[in-house]
């Protein structure tokens, strides 16, 4: 899924702010460093999700039979192949 840079930064701010509000959490770095690391982690996760999505779509398009997106058969295969790709990554 593509998320704009502004939305990704906003999400990273929310993560850092939420962690700061937790009494059990203690920052060893300043809040901005935490926010930047959260943004990097989120970017990495979104990139992995994009790769999983593309792999699942590729498996569907490589079928002998043409399966149209939006059909029930396509949705079932997409979920199956998506979950298979997730399992390969150990997530």
């Amino acid at each position: 899924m593509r998320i704009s840079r502004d939305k990704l930064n906003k999400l990273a701010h929310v993560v850092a702010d939420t962690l700061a509000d937790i009494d059990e959490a203690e920052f060893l770095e300043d809040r901005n460093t935490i926010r930047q690391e959260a943004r990097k982690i989120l970017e990495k996760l979104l990139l992995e999700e994009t790769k999983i999505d593309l792999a699942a779509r590729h498996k569907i398009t490589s079928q002998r039979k043409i399966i149209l997106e939006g059909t029930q058969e396509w949705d079932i295969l997409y979920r199956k192949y998506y979950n298979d790709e997730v399992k390969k990554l150990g997530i």
Side-chain angles (χ1 to χ4, degrees):
M1 169 188 284
R2 288 289 298 155
I3 295 180
S4 72
R5 186 170 181 85
D6 288 339
K7 288 182 182 178
L8 195 58
N9 281 330
K10 173 65 176 166
L11 190 54
H13 273 287
V14 171
V15 169
D17 292 344
T18 301
L19 288 173
D21 291 341
I22 297 174
D23 292 334
E24 293 83 16
E26 182 179 335
F27 287 178
L28 300 177
E29 299 285 337
D30 63 293
R31 191 181 257 180
N32 190 49
T33 303
I34 302 299
R35 181 194 57 78
Q36 289 173 348
E37 286 301 312
R39 193 188 85 242
K40 287 178 188 176
I41 292 167
L42 291 168
E43 285 175 339
K44 182 180 175 187
L45 287 172
L46 290 172
L47 180 62
E48 288 297 320
E49 195 277 333
T50 300
K51 289 178 183 178
I52 292 169
D53 175 70
L54 290 174
R57 289 175 181 276
H58 177 70
K59 285 183 180 181
I60 293 171
T61 58
S62 66
Q63 302 283 321
R64 286 184 185 167
K65 176 182 166 186
I66 295 174
I67 303 168
L68 298 175
E69 187 171 349
T71 63
Q72 185 178 8
E73 183 179 13
W74 191 94
D75 291 340
I76 291 168
L77 286 174
Y78 179 82
R79 280 194 302 273
K80 178 188 181 314
Y81 293 147
Y82 187 95
N83 288 334
D84 289 347
E85 291 298 317
V86 170
K87 287 178 186 174
K88 283 182 188 177
L89 293 175
I91 299 175

